[in-house]
Amino acid sequence: MNHRFKTPIAVYRVGSNRDGDDLFNDRKSGKIADLKCHIIKTETSDKADAKPVMYIVKKTIGVPKTADVRVSDEVVLFGRRYLVIDSDPRRYWRELLVTCEVKGNDR
């Protein structure tokens, strides 16, 4: 198991604002915090039915327990945006389960 400690991440809260005609929702993202985290586990699986091949990357990340991170926030880690799908408080830290879809090559 390869733990990476003190890895910087940025947390964004994504909300929506209606326009004047109530027709469209504009996605607005605001930066909440810059945190130091440790990566606990990484899983990669592929969607076989999609062309080109799409990979689903799931990571388990540990952040400080006092961090204000909610489900459906976005986390930027190593330049890639992940969606927070689960948050599990532990004794001294909070464990986040994040996911991202990555496009593979056509070999």
Side-chain angles (χ1 to χ4, degrees), residues 4-94:
R4 290 179 170 227
F5 292 100
K6 298 185 180 174
T7 305
I9 63 170
V11 181
Y12 290 89
R13 177 94 11 103
V14 179
S16 61
N17 291 338
R18 293 219 177 240
D19 63 348
D21 299 330
D22 272 346
L23 294 176
F24 299 106
N25 280 340
D26 293 331
R27 269 181 99 221
K28 301 287 184 188
S29 64
K31 191 173 198 177
I32 301 248
D34 287 318
L35 302 172
K36 297 288 185 181
C37 72
H38 58 276
I39 300 171
I40 299 169
K41 185 170 67 170
T42 301
E43 296 176 20
T44 304
S45 61
D46 59 336
K47 286 180 163 180
D49 58 342
K51 290 289 180 191
V53 177
M54 296 291 287
Y55 292 100
I56 299 173
V57 179
K58 290 184 180 179
K59 290 186 181 284
T60 305
I61 299 173
V63 295
K65 192 169 187 173
T66 59
D68 180 28
V69 180
R70 299 180 190 161
V71 175
S72 80
D73 284 351
E74 288 184 350
V75 173
V76 177
L77 177 68
F78 300 126
R80 184 173 288 153
R81 285 202 141 175
Y82 292 88
L83 179 68
V84 177
I85 58 174
D86 193 17
S87 176
D88 188 19
R90 298 289 183 194
R91 186 168 184 180
Y92 298 110
W93 70 86
R94 176 179 302 277

